[in-house]
Amino acid sequence: MGAAARRATTVTAVAGAAWLTRRALRRRIARSPLWPLPALEHPVSGYSPRRALRARVVSRTEPAEGVLRLDLESGELPAWTPGAHIDVTLPSGLVRQYSLCGDPADAGRYTIAVRLVEDGRGGSREAHALLAEGAELELRPPRNRFALLPAPSYVFVAGGIGITPILPMLRAATTAGARWTLLYGGRSRASMPFLDELAAYGERVTVVPEDEAGRPDLGVLAGVPAGTLVYCCGPEPLMAAVTAAAPPGVEVRLERFAPGPAAAPGGEAPFTVTLARSGRTVEVPADGTTLAAVLRELPNTPYSCGQGFCGTCRHTVLAGEVDHRDDLLTDGERETSMLLCVSRARGEHLTLDL
């Protein structure tokens, strides 16, 4: 075979291989329009799923009626600060958020507590039934939107299982030499976890079981001096009452794992959403959510609570004005992103980096 013939054969072979490669790539993209982006170690848009952590349940106890305490250990657990919470993937695949209530100085160990909610969405029942010592769990690294800010004095108010994010704050405030008091309410002493641990703080802690003393008297907030920070975690009515009782000049910081008043899904007008990277446009009806519309086209889009307080479905907004209906994002975060499960377009159209 002459040189010209060999060159022609080589060119034909290379062209054929390139054609086969392009055809395979087109088929792969047709099956998954975002490929290969989901495989990137650091996603370029949307809310990063963050790398998964593995931990083992090393201790299971019941510090109160209907409350499960789990101690988790692993050599890869990141450091955390008071007020942080983690996402826990339960054996069924449900993802739930739990405040870390142990000691941040205890490297390699996380502690969470789970209140059994019989009429809830099933996560607490599963945790109580299946998470025994030795169980392996998948976690996501801590997030903290309830951080303890420096202050000369604090008032902490907790209701029931809302004591969990407050516990590490008490230790930190004590170490910092700050003045603080805790008002801790619950249905009964038997249902209120960590009372033994709180007893060590003496008169700074006021325990108010409802079956003994009624509801906590929030009138004590009226005399709180300006500059004091109030931290509250508990049922929505308690947090609303604390916010209303705080005097001017006193900042109230809240932590919730249930939707607040602003987190009402649905809306009064339909709109469209363009998914910029996948080249699709979806319709969001007046009685539907942005998340539901996106999931119809991109079913692997991550989400968890569906009610605007966990942040899993946060994604970048490229164009359009958002009607934010969550209690989670900061003002800065709202300039560039939204939570798909509850927030909507303020006009007729949004463009998302999806």
Side-chain angles (χ1 to χ4, degrees), residues 63-76:
E65 292 178 356
V67 176
L68 173 66
R69 169 182 166 150
L70 298 173
D71 293 314
L72 314 175
E73 286 190 354
S74 170
E76 58 179 10

Side-chain angles (χ1 to χ4, degrees), residues 161-174:
I161 200 63
I163 190 63
T164 51
I166 301 296
L167 277 178
M169 294 184 178
L170 304 183
R171 302 185 194 106
T174 301

Side-chain angles (χ1 to χ4, degrees), residues 114-312:
V114 184
R115 166 81 69 189
L116 178 61
V117 182
E118 292 288 0
D119 59 349
R121 294 180 295 140
S124 68
R125 293 194 300 274
E126 182 177 348
H128 277 249
L130 301 180
L131 298 186
E133 290 186 17
E136 296 283 339
L137 287 176
E138 181 179 294
L139 319 174
R140 289 178 179 172
R143 290 178 286 165
N144 198 340
R145 299 184 181 276
F146 192 48
L148 184 67
L149 302 179
S153 60
Y154 303 92
V155 173
F156 300 103
V157 183
I161 200 63
I163 190 63
T164 51
I166 301 296
L167 277 178
M169 294 184 178
L170 304 183
R171 302 185 194 106
T174 301
T175 300
R179 301 183 304 276
W180 63 265
T181 60
L182 166 66
L183 185 61
Y184 180 24
R187 294 191 305 274
S188 66
R189 289 183 186 273
S191 70
M192 299 169 69
F194 306 113
L195 290 180
D196 290 344
E197 185 173 339
L198 292 171
Y201 293 116
E203 295 182 355
R204 285 184 286 187
V205 176
T206 301
V207 176
V208 187
E210 188 173 352
D211 63 349
E212 298 177 18
R215 296 183 178 180
D217 179 11
L218 300 180
V220 298
L221 294 175
V224 172
T228 298
L229 291 182
V230 176
Y231 281 78
C232 178
C233 183
E236 186 63 38
L238 173 65
M239 293 191 290
V242 168
T243 301
V250 172
E251 180 182 354
V252 177
R253 297 179 61 82
L254 306 174
E255 173 78 317
R256 54 169 53 95
F257 289 107
E268 64 286 346
F271 60 98
T272 59
V273 176
T274 295
L275 310 176
R277 283 192 289 152
S278 56
R280 306 179 188 185
T281 297
V282 298
E283 302 282 341
V284 182
D287 58 352
T289 67
T290 310
L291 176 62
V294 170
L295 287 172
R296 286 196 293 271
E297 294 293 332
L298 303 177
N300 293 325
T301 302
Y303 71 97
S304 178
C305 74
Q307 300 177 79
F309 58 87
C310 78
T312 305

